[in-house]
Structure formats: structure tokens, C-alpha cells
Amino acid sequence: MATNSDARTGPITLLSLGHGCVDVYQGAVAALVPFLVTERAYTYAAASGVVLAASLLSSVVQPMFGALTDRWAMPWLLPVSTLAGGAGVALAGVSGSYALTLAVIAISGIGVAAYHPEAARVARDASRGSHTAMGWFSLGGNLGFAAAPPMVAAVIATGGLRASPLLIVPALAGAVLCAAALRGVAASAAAEPGAVRVSRAGAMDDWPSFARLSGAIVCRSIVFVGLSAFISLYVRERTGGGAASGTAALFVLYLGGAVGTVTGGALATRHGRLSVVRWSYALTVLAVAGVVLVPGPALYAFVALTSAGLYVPFSLHVTLGQDYLPRRVGVAGGVTLGLTVSIGGIASPFIGAVADVTSLQTALAPLIALPVLGWLLVRPLREPAMLEAAPA
């Protein structure tokens, strides 16, 4: 017989695993870039355009899905959007057409966009607003990011870009996990009819604070997406290594996020969310400077430090955003998990264009300043007012 604890933790575990299967496809787009450059002779600007295709439509539609999920529960979006996200990436290598590649990658981006607002809402309800539980939910996504480079490398290095249909497998698994998680959430509600949940009645939305937080996340996103798109190629240049050295750097960038996300939830419980967020942005300034300026194998240490600095506040951004907009949790999730994250991809073509006429090091250097701006934006923020608990 399942205990009450099992009824609570089971759905979060399944949601975390499903989140990982979805975010594989966010990491897979960047992981495909070196293979597109090598096999199709894309320029840096053309390759970054693929990253933009995954981000642009996603940036626009994600808040729209958030607004819809604030009005109506749409749990069916979780398995459907997971399949859409996987299908787009799986079709990316089927045709040599640049236009078709952009189109299917855009479909993948829309699938990922549709997933996150509803998933964040379901996870918030399943976790009862726990920072630690939301950290585990975010961890799943980070592990998906980390799994993308070796997964893509294993598939594409073996069969070339035309082997990309094999990349649909995580989406199939994710759809099954999402369906199981939704059943678990329903079972949890039935098992604990007297549970408490956060009440949004009478709560006020704090749009100015949410706007400052969103601006900081945009700064974080540009750094992360810019490094994701080019760190593999950059490390090859700086270390003189081959494809494996670049894939290893991208893996470190993503895997460090898994450690950072869990650490962020624990640190926030002890020191407060905003204090942890501010220190993370300060750390990221030094870490990104090391990535850009330090040569040789030491680069990997700074990549890991950058990953930690970018990911420690990741789940805290989500819960802060939801608490600043308690009446619009779906919109908050759509923006913090989607719009502000995806919009970083818009900067990628500019980085690629600068790299084409100068060098990757010169193109990546401005990323050092963005965590400074993020720190300035979050510095005056105050912890959202605690909301009342009401019977579920």
C-alpha cells in the first residue's frame, strides 16, 4: 500500500524524469551545431541561426501557453508537447535543406515551449510550493541538457546527420513518464484530501519585481545559450583538441548545472533565495571571464564554475517568479522557464556574425558583462510576501 510520502514524491520523481526527456531536445540543438558545421559546411552565423530557430518561436508562444494554462488546466500538453519537441530534432538531419532544417527545429522549439508552463504548474501543485522539490524538478531538465551532447555525438558520429531519427527515443519515453506523472498527481490528491496548497486569493501580483527578475534571467540566458552554441568549437580552438574535447566541454557545461540546481534549492532553504541568486551572478562574472581569457585545459574548470553559477539560481528564478505573480503562475512559469530562457537564442546569430569576421574569443568576450547587469537588476529585489495556506 502506498504511503502519503510516496503519493507526494512519486509524481515529482516522474515529472523530473519527464522534464529530462524534454530538455534533451534543448541541449540537442546546440550539440548538433558542430556536426552541421562539419558535415554541411555551415558558417558560424548559419549554425547559430539553427539555435535561433529553436528559440524564436518558443520565446513568443511560451507565455501564450502560460496564459492558457492559467485559465484552463491542460495536462494533455505534457505528453503531446514532449513528442513534438522530439520529432523536430529527430527530423533535423533527414534533409540537407537549410530551410527545412530551420522549420523542423522550430517545431521542436514550439513543443518545448508548450511543455514548460503546464509542467511548472503541475510541479508546483505536486510539490506544495517546496523549493527543494522544485529543485529536483529542475534537476531533471538539467540532466536532460547534460545527456544531449554525448547522446547526439553517439548517434551522429556513428551514422551521420541522417541517423537523427534515432533521437526520437527520449521523447517516446518522456511521453510515457508524463502520462504516469499525471496519474500520480491525481492519486496524490485523492490520497491526501486534507492537504494544503498555496492560496492565491487576495494575493497581489508584483509586476515591477517580476520585470527586474525577468531582465536578470535574460542576461543569464544570453550567456548560457551563447556558450552552449559555441563552447564546443571554442574549446577545440583553445586547446587544440578534436571533436571529443569540444563535446566534453559542452557536457561539463550541462552536467555542472545538475549539481548547481540541487545545491541552489538547499542553499536557498538556509540563506534565502535572493541572497543565493545575487551571489550566483557575482560568481558567474569571474567564471565567464576565465572561460574567455584562460587558455589550455584549465578552461574546463572555468566551464564547470560557469555552469554552477548559471544553474544555482535556476529553480529559484522559477519559484520567485511564481511568487511575484501568484495570480498568474502559468504566465510566470512560461516567462521564467521559457521566454527569458529562449530569448537568449536571439543573441546567438550576433555572436556568430562577430565570430565570422573576428574570432570566437572576441565574440564571446561581451558575455562577461551580462552577469554584472543581472546582479544589478536583482540587487534591489525583496523576498515576495508569503501567501496563506488554504485547504486543498
Side-chain angles (χ1 to χ4, degrees), residues 46-135:
S48 59
V50 175
V51 179
L52 176 62
S55 304
L56 189 57
L57 280 176
S58 179
S59 300
V60 174
V61 303
Q62 199 145 187
M64 294 170 56
F65 280 110
L68 288 173
T69 59
D70 279 335
R71 295 192 64 181
W72 304 286
M74 303 171 72
W76 54 268
L77 268 179
L78 270 62
V80 171
S81 59
T82 300
L83 291 173
V89 167
L91 293 171
V94 171
S95 170
S97 166
Y98 184 67
L100 182 58
T101 300
L102 293 181
V104 295
I105 289 295
I107 290 172
S108 177
I110 292 173
V112 172
Y115 171 85
H116 281 99
E118 180 67 6
R121 182 191 67 79
V122 173
R124 179 182 173 90
D125 289 343
S127 69
R128 312 286 196 268
S130 164
H131 301 326
T132 302
M134 287 299 288

Side-chain angles (χ1 to χ4, degrees), residues 196-212:
V196 298
R197 67 181 177 188
V198 176
S199 172
R200 298 166 197 162
M204 299 298 295
D205 292 332
D206 184 355
W207 285 102
S209 294
F210 183 77
R212 295 186 73 93

Side-chain angles (χ1 to χ4, degrees), residues 79-364:
V80 171
S81 59
T82 300
L83 291 173
V89 167
L91 293 171
V94 171
S95 170
S97 166
Y98 184 67
L100 182 58
T101 300
L102 293 181
V104 295
I105 289 295
I107 290 172
S108 177
I110 292 173
V112 172
Y115 171 85
H116 281 99
E118 180 67 6
R121 182 191 67 79
V122 173
R124 179 182 173 90
D125 289 343
S127 69
R128 312 286 196 268
S130 164
H131 301 326
T132 302
M134 287 299 288
W136 284 107
F137 169 69
S138 299
L139 170 64
N142 298 338
L143 290 176
F145 261 114
M151 180 189 72
V152 170
V155 171
I156 306 303
T158 301
L161 286 171
R162 288 194 174 275
S164 66
L166 294 174
L167 298 175
I168 192 66
V169 172
L172 299 176
V176 173
L177 288 165
C178 287
L182 293 172
R183 288 196 298 270
V185 171
S188 177
E192 298 185 89
V196 298
R197 67 181 177 188
V198 176
S199 172
R200 298 166 197 162
M204 299 298 295
D205 292 332
D206 184 355
W207 285 102
S209 294
F210 183 77
R212 295 186 73 93
L213 177 68
S214 298
I217 302 173
V218 168
C219 294
R220 179 255 181 212
S221 172
I222 293 173
V223 174
F224 179 74
V225 176
L227 289 178
S228 295
F230 296 109
I231 194 67
S232 181
L233 296 169
Y234 181 67
V235 167
R236 289 194 210 181
E237 290 183 2
R238 296 284 281 174
T239 64
S245 66
T247 299
L250 191 58
F251 179 72
V252 169
L253 181 67
Y254 290 165
L255 185 62
V259 178
T261 300
V262 175
T263 303
L267 290 174
T269 301
R270 171 175 284 188
H271 302 291
R273 288 180 290 183
L274 286 172
S275 178
V276 173
V277 169
R278 294 184 189 109
W279 277 105
S280 298
Y281 278 93
L283 170 67
T284 305
V285 177
L286 299 177
V288 176
V291 169
V292 174
L293 301 175
V294 174
L299 260 177
Y300 289 100
F302 284 101
V303 170
L305 195 61
T306 298
S307 180
L310 291 172
Y311 268 110
V312 162
F314 186 79
S315 66
L316 308 182
H317 289 152
V318 178
T319 59
L320 279 168
Q322 291 176 329
D323 288 345
Y324 282 134
L325 299 185
R327 292 182 173 181
R328 294 172 176 82
V329 170
V331 171
V335 172
T336 55
L337 274 173
L339 175 63
T340 50
V341 174
S342 300
I343 205 169
I346 297 174
S348 295
F350 295 100
I351 297 174
V354 173
D356 281 334
V357 297
T358 57
S359 68
L360 264 178
Q361 184 178 32
T362 300
L364 294 175

